[in-house]
Amino acid sequence: MPIFGNRTHPAVSLKLREMGQPINVLTGIDYWLDNLMCNVPELAMCYHVDGIVQYYELMKTEEIPYLEGSKFSPKVLKDIAQNIRTFLQLNAAKEGHTYWLFKGSNDEIVKLYDLTTLCKPDMENNEQNPFSVPVAILLYRVARNMVQADDGAQHSKDICKLLCNCIKLLQGHTRHYEIIASANYMLSDLLIPDEKCGKTGDCEEEACGGIIVDMEEMSDFAADSSVEVQALCLPNRPTFVESEPVQTQGALETLEVRCLSALKFIAQGLLCVENSFGKPSDKLHSNIPIPLPYESLKSGSYVGSMSCFCFDNNATNNGDLQASSASHEHLAIQSKSGKETKVPQSNSWQYQLKVLLLNKACVASYTFAVSSNAQHRYGQVLKHTKLVLMCYAATKNLCAAIAEKSPEFLSLVMSLCGDVHIIMAHQDASAFAAIKEDYQLLSEAEGIISDIAAKDIHHNTFQWAYNLESSQERNIVISIDCYKAALSSLTNQSPEVKLIVSKLGNANNELGVYYMNQAMTKINDKGSELNLSALEEIWKKSQSYLVKGRDNFEEIHDNLNVCLLNANLGKLMRLCSQSLAEFQTEHREFTVQERHYYRKAASHYQAALLSLEKREVHSVIWDSVLWDLSSCYFNMATQLQDYAPLSTQSREDVEKDVTDYMMKALKYCDLETGTARLPIRQYRAATIYHRLASLYHNAFRNQKLDQRRKHQRTLAELHYSKALHLFQLLEQPCELLRIQLERVAICEFHTETSQVGIKSLQTALNHILQSEPWVASIEERLSVPTLNSVSSKQEEGVMSMDDKQFEQEAGKLLDIMQHQLKSILLALVKAAAVAKKGHGQNSDALQLYKKMYQVSLSTREESATVVSHSCYILSQLTQLYQQRNQSKT
């Protein structure tokens, strides 16, 4: 209808009329309805005679019902239209049925016939129904137009109903595979849009729109409906008999169900494409092909998703779409940008739809895999990544240009595949059995898609990525290869690069740790023969992957993981050094190669600390690395001290190196930070002080120069006192007693080599008497056994022994102490007796030492233990010694 306008008349419709012909009622109703539906306020009548315009007449729309010769009631007309619409809504309720609204010329009744029901007894199958194909095409076109509309996503429920009924009506029609396949593709795209690929939350939010019409046989229309014409003219709506509404399935609430439904539609679409090859295709019109709208509901972009397919007219024949049948139809395919790309005529609709459906299978399977991964169903994940990669390989073989347009999607798939393999590397036998069961269980749709995709795969370059492996090593290796493949399909500017490089670094670390644990297992397995060359090969593999992992994290400036990788390299170097010691059977000495590995370990630990810069970055990791660095120097010093390489170094050089390494171990042993591991660090520091004191003690014995000997003894006493202080804090009575006995040994040796022997003997006696509270502590512990034979200090991480070991160790130390005590008291008695006569003080001391010596010789009762007897002797001796000191004052 032509509509014109200007400033004074914004909208005027134009009608031509031959002069001399009056306007009848039907013409007036026609003009009035045109203006009313188009919301045009005025009508311009152009009167002419044989095409020559005579004059114009302008009238308002509301004046048309009152023109001379064509008067009618607008109210009655509106009531009739509204009542007919209501009548049809209530009675023409069967989806996919064809209805006929009929009124005879002289009838007073308007009748509604269900042609589908009427024709059904006369048809043997759907193909004989003359109305099924036109109605199916109508449903398809309506659905297509709704999809292309801007608000198409809001009508996804209705679109699904239309498409499902279209497919139902065309079932059995072998000449309409193109429409069936296209409808299945559109249904799958409604359920899993391309731009929502992998976004679980977004898909869940849109789940309410995915409603599928029940595909079961619908109930038959019971009878024809009719209504009287007079009833249609009434102003109030007449009462009609409503037919039963069609039942539909509920909303597909879960993403998993939506993916399964999408895969079913894809499988049906692929079957239609496969069955259509070699069969003629019906066209709705002789010259106009059916436009198939291959476009998602919503426009938008999603990084990593497989974009809608656009076929390039300029593409070469190599790797691009090829014609696979004699059919040459133009299909208008819309991209997300809204631009149409005409497919070259050499491409058949079967070929194009197959590529589109395989692509949609990629998206649906990947979305399913992401959902399964969130639910920790790793067998399902690997199965669907397999389906994704098979469909991708088939798509790439059919049309390489399409696959090249989606590198981010392949990167996501390979990254997910790597994640699954790295997780499977740590599964036990029962968990792997469940994974295997899920992996091998294929649904009918998955089997169809897999079989069809396999036909178009000439060389599957991704088969290694989705193979089910039970070996931990093999799974980690596959994960590394998957992450490398994911990176190879991305540019350096892609935002996903950093995440995948981080995953690759973690996988390299996992494999390096795996080989390191293998080497540790071989060393600890005493039943197998050690082969140094085999161990060295394992060390090299471990070091290689740990260095690669460290380089990966350095590339993305992940200092925290760089620190952890350096710490693992330090642990490996320590393991190498410890392994070399296992191959020395006789004349054990600390070798240069062992020292080399320890130094490399220390350098890796220091690099780890340097990457963190300060403790505040991550206190737990900082403390752990600091402890490992202290342990590295401590172990190196201990090995050097216990197995001194005197064949290659002098004793003085060895002692100097041991002192240097011990001081470095002490430097990195944090005694200021109050954490739960402080008792362990205190024990380590006490042990270091004790070993340094023992070192100076030994040097004191071997030194011949008096000045140097005096200095060595001073250093020994200094470190003994520091060790005593820390062991007292930790309540370690055996260690305290051992230190006191060593201090007594220094005094005894000094008595033998100097002329001030009585003073050294008295100092030694004081050391023994100071041990009384520690012996009492030993007795108290043995009288009250600890739970599970483990002391409370052991629960805190401090080195300790069970009750039996503790009692044996204490017994040995107390036997030595009693022997030293008797020897010292006897020497004191002799020294006091030899003193000059006439000194009352020496006489009193002689009597005291005799009494104390007599107490030390007392025999032990049968019921008494070594500990209780020693405790009794020390108590008596302490009382005697204190009485003498009181009498002097």
Side-chain angles (χ1 to χ4, degrees):
M1 181 178 70
I3 300 175
F4 305 92
N6 56 22
R7 293 182 179 179
T8 57
H9 302 280
V12 179
S13 62
L14 179 64
K15 298 292 183 180
L16 299 177
R17 194 69 187 172
E18 185 77 25
M19 289 189 66
Q21 295 182 1
I23 299 176
N24 56 31
V25 175
L26 293 179
T27 304
I29 291 174
D30 187 25
Y31 292 169
W32 179 71
L33 287 175
D34 283 345
N35 275 23
L36 195 65
M37 288 186 290
C38 295
N39 198 22
V40 178
E42 294 179 294
L43 169 67
M45 296 290 295
C46 177
Y47 292 97
H48 64 92
V49 176
D50 295 332
I52 300 175
V53 177
Q54 301 299 316
Y55 67 94
Y56 290 91
E57 182 181 358
L58 189 66
M59 64 188 72
K60 295 186 179 298
T61 300
E62 56 267 21
E63 296 175 353
I64 296 176
Y66 305 103
L67 291 176
E68 187 67 30
S70 63
K71 293 183 179 180
F72 60 89
S73 173
K75 185 177 183 302
V76 173
L77 200 62
K78 288 180 181 179
D79 290 339
I80 292 173
Q82 187 174 9
N83 290 332
I84 290 176
R85 178 171 174 263
T86 305
F87 173 72
L88 291 175
Q89 284 180 333
L90 293 176
N91 293 282
K94 295 279 189 176
E95 292 283 356
H97 281 225
T98 304
Y99 294 90
W100 181 23
L101 186 66
F102 174 76
K103 177 187 174 298
S105 57
N106 297 319
D107 291 343
E108 296 297 329
I109 296 177
V110 177
K111 297 180 180 180
L112 181 68
Y113 294 95
D114 183 354
L115 298 182
T116 303
T117 305
L118 292 173
C119 298
K120 190 172 183 179
D122 300 327
M123 295 185 304
E124 294 181 359
N125 53 55
N126 287 338
E127 197 168 2
Q128 292 177 338
N129 188 340
F131 307 103
S132 61
V133 173
V135 172
I137 300 301
L138 177 63
L139 295 177
Y140 173 80
R141 285 182 170 177
V142 171
R144 178 200 63 193
N145 293 335
M146 292 175 70
V147 167
Q148 292 178 336
D150 294 336
D151 59 345
Q154 301 177 8
H155 303 287
S156 56
K157 173 182 176 180
D158 297 326
I159 295 171
C160 287
K161 287 182 180 180
L162 292 171
L163 292 173
C164 284
N165 281 289
C166 170
I167 295 171
K168 181 178 176 61
L169 287 171
L170 292 178
Q171 284 179 353
H173 289 266
T174 58
R175 301 172 63 84
H176 298 285
Y177 282 129
E178 181 179 5
I179 298 176
I180 299 173
S182 179
N184 277 298
Y185 172 79
M186 292 171 65
L187 282 167
S188 67
D189 190 59
L190 286 171
L191 292 169
I192 307 294
D194 283 350
E195 63 269 15
K196 298 299 180 184
C197 172
K199 292 190 175 182
T200 305
D202 292 340
C203 287
E204 291 288 355
E205 290 173 3
E206 295 188 358
C208 59
I211 300 181
I212 307 302
V213 177
D214 189 0
M215 300 300 290
E216 297 296 329
E217 190 67 33
M218 298 181 182
S219 58
D220 292 334
F221 205 82
D224 295 344
S225 299
S226 62
V227 61
E228 294 182 357
V229 175
Q230 294 297 329
L232 295 175
C233 298
L234 297 176
N236 297 324
R237 294 183 181 182
T239 303
F240 304 119
V241 178
E242 296 186 5
S243 60
E244 295 181 1
V246 178
Q247 300 294 324
T248 61
Q249 293 178 350
L252 301 178
E253 296 178 353
T254 66
L255 183 61
E256 182 176 345
V257 174
R258 297 185 73 190
C259 292
L260 285 173
S261 299
L263 289 174
K264 289 178 181 178
F265 288 126
I266 293 168
Q268 292 303 315
L270 287 172
L271 284 176
C272 289
V273 173
E274 291 294 307
N275 293 334
S276 68
F277 284 113
K279 295 185 179 180
S281 174
D282 279 353
K283 295 184 176 64
L284 297 180
H285 302 283
S286 59
N287 298 321
I288 303 175
I290 302 172
L292 303 180
Y294 305 124
E295 183 185 24
S296 299
L297 278 179
K298 291 183 177 180
S299 62
S301 61
Y302 168 63
V303 177
S305 67
M306 182 77 82
S307 61
C308 290
F309 288 95
C310 298
F311 298 93
D312 189 0
N313 287 324
N314 299 322
T316 60
N317 291 331
N318 294 329
D320 292 333
L321 288 175
Q322 303 290 330
S324 58
S325 75
S327 177
H328 303 296
E329 295 184 26
H330 287 283
L331 297 181
I333 301 177
Q334 290 191 347
S335 65
K336 289 184 179 180
S337 61
K339 297 181 180 179
E340 282 193 347
T341 303
K342 287 289 183 91
V343 182
Q345 291 188 2
S346 59
N347 297 315
S348 68
W349 69 264
Q350 292 101 326
Y351 197 77
Q352 298 165 27
L353 268 176
K354 186 173 186 178
V355 173
L356 293 171
L357 288 166
L358 287 173
N359 168 62
K360 182 57 64 176
C362 289
V363 176
S365 298
Y366 173 74
T367 306
F368 202 157
V370 172
S371 175
S372 300
N373 190 47
Q375 300 173 16
H376 308 293
R377 299 174 62 183
Y378 303 115
Q380 292 268 22
V381 179
L382 194 60
K383 176 180 67 176
H384 285 97
T385 52
K386 173 183 177 179
L387 192 60
V388 173
L389 292 173
M390 288 186 67
C391 293
Y392 183 87
T395 305
K396 186 176 181 180
N397 184 59
L398 293 171
C399 181
I402 293 178
E404 291 171 358
K405 291 181 180 180
S406 56
E408 293 85 0
F409 179 77
L410 179 61
S411 173
L412 287 174
V413 177
M414 298 305 294
S415 177
L416 180 61
C417 201
D419 294 344
V420 175
H421 281 290
I422 205 72
I423 292 172
M424 288 173 56
H426 302 285
Q427 301 297 315
D428 56 20
S430 60
F432 181 79
I435 291 174
K436 184 177 181 180
E437 182 179 357
D438 284 343
Y439 177 78
Q440 295 177 341
L441 184 62
L442 284 177
S443 66
E444 182 181 359
E446 292 164 353
I448 292 172
I449 297 171
S450 179
D451 293 340
I452 293 176
K455 295 178 182 178
D456 293 300
I457 301 175
H458 301 315
H459 177 63
N460 191 354
T461 58
F462 302 110
Q463 186 173 0
W464 55 268
Y466 53 73
N467 283 338
L468 188 66
E469 300 285 349
S470 58
S471 166
Q472 181 181 2
E473 177 185 5
R474 184 61 186 153
N475 274 307
I476 302 176
V477 170
I478 292 176
S479 71
I480 291 174
D481 292 337
C482 286
Y483 294 137
K484 288 180 179 178
L487 285 173
S488 65
S489 61
L490 295 175
T491 61
N492 293 332
Q493 290 75 26
S494 179
E496 287 81 17
V497 168
K498 185 174 181 180
L499 176 61
I500 298 177
V501 169
S502 177
K503 291 180 177 180
L504 178 59
N506 177 65
N508 280 317
N509 175 59
E510 290 274 358
L511 193 55
V513 171
Y514 168 79
Y515 287 128
M516 181 165 46
N517 292 335
Q518 262 198 340
M520 196 178 302
T521 303
K522 288 182 178 293
I523 294 169
N524 295 332
D525 188 5
K526 303 300 181 182
S528 61
E529 294 184 2
L530 287 177
N531 187 336
L532 183 58
S533 60
L535 277 178
E536 287 177 344
E537 286 298 320
I538 298 176
W539 297 341
K540 289 178 181 178
K541 286 183 180 179
S542 178
Q543 183 180 10
S544 171
Y545 284 105
L546 289 176
V547 169
K548 288 178 183 177
R550 183 188 62 187
D551 294 342
N552 293 140
F553 289 121
E554 285 178 347
E555 179 183 347
I556 59 176
H557 307 292
D558 188 349
N559 292 334
L560 191 61
N561 280 312
V562 170
C563 171
L564 293 174
L565 265 295
N566 275 315
N568 283 338
L569 281 167
K571 183 179 179 181
L572 175 64
M573 295 299 104
R574 288 168 61 187
L575 177 65
C576 294
S577 180
Q578 293 167 10
S579 302
L580 291 175
E582 297 291 332
F583 290 92
Q584 297 187 34
T585 55
E586 297 180 358
H587 307 295
R588 168 83 169 95
E589 283 190 354
F590 188 71
T591 63
V592 176
Q593 196 173 5
E594 290 179 72
R595 187 187 300 223
H596 168 71
Y597 280 123
Y598 270 120
R599 285 177 175 172
K600 288 185 69 175
S603 66
H604 284 305
Y605 287 130
Q606 288 170 345
L609 292 176
L610 189 62
S611 63
L612 280 186
E613 295 182 356
K614 54 185 178 180
R615 186 177 185 272
E616 288 73 14
V617 175
H618 200 294
S619 59
V620 176
I621 295 178
W622 177 276
D623 291 342
S624 176
V625 175
L626 201 65
W627 171 258
D628 288 339
L629 179 56
S630 174
S631 300
C632 177
Y633 281 120
F634 176 74
N635 291 337
M636 181 162 51
T638 301
Q639 294 292 314
L640 188 59
Q641 185 178 12
D642 294 344
Y643 306 102
L646 298 178
S647 61
T648 57
Q649 278 186 285
S650 64
R651 183 175 295 277
E652 289 77 10
D653 291 340
V654 171
E655 291 175 353
K656 182 180 178 181
D657 289 344
V658 170
T659 303
D660 182 45
Y661 295 143
M662 284 292 185
M663 295 308 296
K664 287 182 178 179
L666 197 59
K667 173 186 175 182
Y668 296 111
C669 189
D670 184 10
L671 300 178
E672 297 178 0
T673 307
T675 62
R677 294 181 61 84
L678 180 59
I680 302 176
R681 297 197 292 268
Q682 288 175 332
Y683 192 94
R684 167 65 57 76
T687 305
I688 292 173
Y689 283 126
H690 185 193
R691 278 189 164 267
L692 284 172
S694 299
L695 180 69
Y696 291 126
H697 183 174
N698 186 60
F700 164 73
R701 287 176 173 270
N702 295 326
Q703 187 58 250
K704 295 182 179 180
L705 297 176
D706 291 342
Q707 190 65 25
R708 296 288 301 275
R709 288 180 62 206
K710 183 178 180 181
H711 179 66
Q712 299 289 356
R713 180 179 179 183
T714 302
L715 290 176
E717 288 291 349
L718 175 64
H719 288 91
Y720 276 135
S721 62
K722 291 181 178 180
L724 279 173
H725 172 70
L726 291 173
F727 280 131
Q728 281 179 329
L729 293 176
L730 298 171
E731 299 178 3
Q732 296 288 314
C734 284
E735 301 297 337
L736 291 167
L737 189 57
R738 183 178 288 107
I739 292 174
Q740 286 296 80
L741 294 178
E742 291 184 17
R743 297 177 75 186
V744 169
I746 285 184
C747 294
E748 288 181 329
F749 182 78
H750 188 257
T751 302
E752 297 172 0
T753 58
S754 65
Q755 298 182 1
V756 287
I758 193 165
K759 290 187 69 174
S760 294
L761 290 173
Q762 288 173 346
T763 303
L765 180 61
N766 286 330
H767 288 331
I768 292 178
L769 295 180
Q770 288 172 2
S771 305
E772 180 192 359
W774 306 329
V775 178
S777 177
I778 294 174
E779 183 182 23
E780 182 181 355
R781 172 177 167 178
L782 293 177
S783 63
V784 183
T786 57
L787 294 175
N788 297 327
S789 299
V790 179
S791 69
S792 59
K793 290 298 177 184
Q794 187 175 6
E795 294 175 0
E796 296 175 1
V798 179
M799 292 180 61
S800 185
M801 301 170 283
D802 59 32
D803 288 337
K804 186 175 182 181
Q805 292 175 334
F806 182 82
E807 185 176 7
Q808 291 175 353
E809 184 69 17
K812 292 178 182 178
L813 292 173
L814 290 173
D815 285 339
I816 297 172
M817 186 196 71
Q818 288 184 10
H819 177 74
Q820 286 182 331
L821 179 61
K822 293 174 184 178
S823 176
I824 290 170
L825 288 174
L826 180 59
L828 282 170
V829 169
K830 291 179 179 180
V834 207
K836 293 182 179 180
K837 296 181 181 180
H839 295 281
Q841 183 178 356
N842 288 335
S843 177
D844 293 339
L846 179 60
Q847 295 299 322
L848 174 65
Y849 296 144
K850 285 183 177 180
K851 288 181 181 179
M852 295 178 71
Y853 182 62
Q854 185 178 3
V855 172
S856 67
L857 294 175
S858 61
T859 57
R860 185 180 62 179
E861 298 180 1
E862 293 183 1
S863 59
T865 62
V866 176
V867 179
S868 61
H869 182 64
S870 299
C871 192
Y872 169 76
I873 291 175
L874 289 176
S875 176
Q876 295 296 317
L877 294 178
T878 303
Q879 290 179 8
L880 290 173
Y881 204 70
Q882 289 176 351
Q883 289 175 4
R884 186 237 181 178
N885 291 336
Q886 290 175 0
S887 64
K888 287 174 62 178
T889 57

